[in-house]
Amino acid sequence: MMLSGAALALLLAGPAFDLGATQRALARPEGREAALTTLDRLSPPDRATARAAGIGGLLVAIAADPAASLRDRAWSLRLAPLYDGPPEPLAPLLAGADTPEAVALAREAAQALSVAGATALLAAGRAHPDPEVRATVARSGALGADTCALLSDPWPAVRRAAAQGLRRHPAAAGCLVPALSDADPSVVMAATRVAGGSGVAALQPALRRIAGNARAAIPARVEAIIALGHLGDTEPARRILSTHAAKGGIEPLADAAVRALAGDASDASLQPLRDALRAPSERVRVSAAQALAQRGDRDSLPAIRALAARCQPQARAALAAALQRLDPQAATLGEAVGSDAPEDASED
């Protein structure tokens, strides 16, 4: 009786993983679906056993076999890095571009090489005609400083991936300046997130333009404010908090300003954070309390206690943690926050 793929997969996985049966099933086209399903679902201990037995090499052989089905080859490519399959035989697949099937395998090969950390092999795909392959190459950081060249790619997905890839090469991140004014918002977001951790001061003017642009998307402005804080430029954050205190302002921007100041170790940032404990937005007040607790500012204890006494139930856990951090001997705040906690009558 011929077993179905699902039934064979259950048999191979069974109560105990049968390594020999799985190896034999991989060798037969009619048994591969079940074997691949089993390998896809193995527990960590069984996966380690299969890895040590050389299953990765069998998967790579299937992936490189032109006689195997597209499904089995693509599936094997996804699994090969999990079983330490040797990446070198996968490199020729990265060049495939003549047919839709070849492009599909090139995409899977690029991803497999990226997961395997085979950056020297992956770099060969930088000029592949398929943008998804180029994006995988860019995101991996395989090109080093040459990742900057893909910031000019005609496809936004590739430019976004190139910005993300530069996280691995912060010394080259100065080339992100054009990406910070890209026509695609997702590219701007990616570049802004990477800019803050780069340490490249030359990015500050472009980040300031985003932070202060009332027509820019709020998420991008939030990321720019935080990035500026990471670069030691907290003047925009202080200005935003001052505006928020006077006029209310946009809550996410004020919250981002608090987060930017939280990472500043200088005394100049303490007073703006203390002032933020009286901000119009409770979210901002709570964020300020957490930032001050992170800074170990015990002078803020009375103000944080007063804030905790009149906060909404949803904020109590965060404020209790802040108080506990500043004063470990202090009693915990009232009742625990839960779905049955009574609503506070105070209004924000």
Side-chain angles (χ1 to χ4, degrees):
M1 181 179 66
M2 180 72 70
L3 291 174
S4 69
L8 186 54
L10 288 173
L11 180 62
L12 293 176
F17 169 55
D18 189 332
L19 174 62
T22 302
Q23 291 172 317
R24 290 190 294 274
L26 282 175
R28 297 182 293 113
E30 65 273 16
R32 282 179 187 154
E33 180 181 1
L36 293 170
T37 300
T38 297
L39 293 172
D40 213 357
R41 299 174 180 175
L42 280 187
S43 65
D46 286 338
R47 181 168 289 178
T49 298
R51 187 183 297 119
I55 284 288
L58 298 178
L59 291 169
V60 167
I62 295 170
D65 181 4
S69 70
L70 178 62
R71 180 203 64 191
D72 291 349
R73 297 180 75 185
W75 203 346
S76 295
L77 279 167
R78 294 173 194 174
L79 291 174
L82 303 180
Y83 290 91
D84 293 343
E88 290 78 11
L90 303 181
L93 297 177
L94 189 62
D98 296 338
T99 65
E101 291 77 10
V103 171
L105 289 172
R107 291 176 178 178
E108 295 289 352
Q111 187 61 36
L113 292 171
S114 178
V115 173
T119 53
L121 298 173
L122 186 58
R126 62 182 300 171
H128 195 281
D130 182 66
E132 190 170 320
V133 173
R134 297 198 304 277
T136 300
V137 173
R139 191 178 299 108
S140 73
L143 303 177
D146 288 345
T147 303
C148 292
L150 291 178
L151 290 171
S152 301
D153 194 276
W155 286 76
V158 179
R159 300 198 300 275
R160 179 174 67 248
Q164 294 165 339
L166 284 167
R167 189 184 302 276
R168 301 173 186 266
H169 306 285
C175 68
L176 283 172
V177 170
L180 291 169
S181 57
D182 195 278
D184 189 281
S186 71
V187 178
V188 176
M189 280 290 290
T192 304
R193 286 173 174 158
V194 172
S198 70
V200 178
L203 298 174
Q204 286 179 228
L207 289 169
R208 278 202 171 205
R209 284 193 291 273
I210 296 171
N213 183 0
R215 291 180 294 180
I218 295 297
R221 297 180 69 187
V222 164
E223 293 293 340
I225 294 163
I226 296 170
L228 286 167
H230 287 316
L231 293 175
D233 183 1
T234 57
E235 191 277 332
R238 294 195 298 272
R239 187 173 65 248
I240 288 167
L241 279 182
S242 177
T243 300
H244 181 73
K247 304 178 181 179
I250 301 174
E251 183 183 70
L253 299 184
D255 187 62
V258 168
R259 292 164 61 189
L261 290 169
D264 181 11
S266 70
D267 291 340
S269 66
L270 278 177
Q271 194 56 50
L273 288 173
R274 291 167 180 165
D275 292 342
L277 292 173
R278 301 187 298 275
S281 160
E282 182 171 85
R283 171 183 170 185
V284 175
R285 296 195 297 267
V286 172
S287 291
Q290 292 174 309
L292 289 164
Q294 179 183 322
R295 294 284 302 273
D297 183 37
R298 288 180 58 83
D299 290 343
S300 297
L301 265 172
I304 296 175
R305 286 197 184 104
L307 174 60
R310 55 185 171 80
C311 71
Q312 297 288 340
Q314 293 83 355
R316 288 180 186 159
L319 290 171
L323 287 171
Q324 187 71 16
R325 185 168 187 170
L326 286 173
D327 187 4
Q329 304 305 316
T332 56
L333 281 177
E335 63 201 355
V337 178
S339 59
D340 58 347
E343 289 295 324
D344 196 306
S346 63
E347 294 286 334
D348 187 24

